[in-house]
Amino acid sequence: MYNAVFKSDNGGTFTFSADNFVIFDIDGLSGISVDNSTSQGAGQIGVSLATSSVHSRTLTITGKIFNSVSAVKKQMRNVLAPFATGTLIFNNRYWIYCSVADAPTFAPGADKGDFTLRLLCPYPFWREVDQQLYTIGEITKKFHFPINYSTPHRFGEKSAIRKINVINTGDIEADYILSIKADDEVKNPYVANVDTLERVQFNTTIHSGEEIRLYRDNNGIIRCVLSGGQTEKNIMSALDENSTLFKLHKGDNPLLVTDDTGGSGINAQIYFYNVIVGVFDEE
């Protein structure tokens, strides 16, 4: 039997599992409809595909509380109240961001544990819980014991490699978080896919200790911020208008991370979650 945990953005948590005296079922875990727009010219056999789009996902959860009915109802009502948003984690392996579409409806009797509720997932695909991480320009430790004081000591060595193959093993392309940290002055840093020639570039200069972060928020909006010390500011104006590299393709993504001076001052990290079209109980 699978389990699910809803973690709200305000800190509340509700667990759907036998351990919390809840047996349940979720409808909408897999499958998604694709809207295809087509056109047909005069005398054309068949049609031409113009655009394709995917809408949101709806999850309907039904079940029964079989012990401590009143207390569990109150907990569910409190955590999954109208306007609540948060993350639903399925079987400790996948997660999806959602908001309450229908707050829990309960059977009226005090000892009746039947319930139903509905969640709306604006981004319809699931993500694996384990985050993938790739690093460019990291420091490799070189200091080892025992110490030989008759020779020079090297505490660390920065990798000179500017290229890395980021592998997306999910079902479809994935959003990513990009962090570019400056170990020295960095001018107009950019990341480019050497196969597709897509790139994302920041037309600005950052100094040692500063960091650029590019990411999408929970509404799918691209954000770009610069942080240094205790401050953080929006630098969307520095994002080059010709930037197109906002997704990691399925499979190999050979990336070059550099700047106008060759990239020696860059320490970059790319984070992402493998995206899954639909989930099911794999046990």
Side-chain angles (χ1 to χ4, degrees):
M1 181 65 181
Y2 53 76
N3 66 78
V5 178
F6 180 80
K7 294 185 176 181
S8 72
D9 290 337
N10 64 12
T13 299
F14 186 85
T15 301
F16 296 91
S17 76
D19 292 339
N20 197 34
F21 312 122
V22 178
I23 53 177
F24 70 104
D25 187 40
I26 304 179
D27 181 52
L29 290 172
S30 60
I32 197 75
S33 296
V34 180
D35 289 338
N36 295 314
S37 175
T38 62
S39 62
Q40 187 177 41
Q44 179 181 354
I45 298 175
V47 298
S48 298
L49 180 63
T51 61
S52 297
S53 61
V54 176
H55 292 292
S56 58
R57 180 184 298 275
T58 298
L59 300 175
T60 302
I61 306 178
T62 57
K64 187 178 183 66
I65 305 164
F66 60 86
N67 201 354
S68 302
V69 175
S70 181
V72 175
K73 279 184 178 179
K74 290 178 181 178
Q75 182 193 18
M76 185 186 296
R77 183 187 66 192
N78 179 267
V79 175
L80 290 145
F83 312 114
T85 57
T87 301
L88 185 73
I89 303 171
F90 178 79
N91 259 6
N92 303 313
R93 298 187 62 177
Y94 308 103
W95 66 272
I96 194 167
Y97 191 77
C98 48
S99 63
V100 173
D102 289 330
T105 299
F106 303 109
D111 59 344
K112 302 294 185 182
D114 301 272
F115 69 87
T116 183
L117 62 96
R118 198 163 57 93
L119 301 174
L120 174 69
C121 310
Y123 181 74
F125 302 122
W126 297 81
R127 295 178 173 98
E128 292 182 348
V129 168
D130 294 331
Q131 189 178 59
Q132 307 300 309
L133 169 62
Y134 289 79
T135 301
I136 302 99
E138 64 183 336
I139 302 296
T140 302
K141 295 178 180 178
K142 293 292 184 180
F143 187 76
H144 301 287
F145 289 99
I147 302 172
N148 182 355
Y149 288 101
S150 65
T151 61
H153 302 315
R154 299 178 65 190
F155 290 91
E157 181 178 77
K158 184 172 182 177
S159 171
I161 298 173
R162 300 287 97 206
K163 294 181 181 179
I164 191 168
N165 186 26
V166 177
I167 302 174
N168 171 13
T169 61
D171 295 336
I172 60 172
E173 62 186 11
D175 297 326
Y176 65 92
I177 300 171
L178 171 65
S179 165
I180 295 179
K181 298 178 181 178
D183 294 330
D184 201 346
E185 186 174 82
V186 174
K187 297 181 178 180
N188 303 324
Y190 66 89
V191 180
N193 186 312
V194 300
D195 281 351
T196 66
L197 303 184
E198 297 167 291
R199 64 191 283 162
V200 59
Q201 178 168 322
F202 308 94
N203 298 322
T204 187
T205 298
I206 60 175
H207 305 280
S208 180
E210 293 183 325
E211 176 188 12
I212 293 174
R213 293 183 74 248
L214 178 75
Y215 64 96
R216 288 184 186 268
D217 64 19
N218 288 327
N219 292 317
I221 306 300
I222 295 174
R223 305 292 185 186
C224 184
V225 297
L226 174 67
S227 60
Q230 301 298 316
T231 65
E232 181 176 283
K233 65 178 181 179
N234 180 352
I235 58 165
M236 280 297 296
S237 60
L239 181 63
D240 192 280
E241 63 180 9
N242 294 315
S243 294
T244 56
L245 184 58
F246 298 114
K247 299 275 189 179
L248 295 174
H249 298 292
K250 183 178 178 179
D252 293 335
N253 293 265
L255 303 180
L256 169 68
V257 183
T258 188
D259 73 338
D260 288 353
T261 64
S264 61
I266 292 176
N267 181 354
Q269 293 180 316
I270 295 173
Y271 309 81
F272 71 98
Y273 297 95
N274 288 317
V275 180
I276 307 300
V277 172
V279 299
F280 51 89
D281 189 359
E282 301 177 25
E283 296 182 356

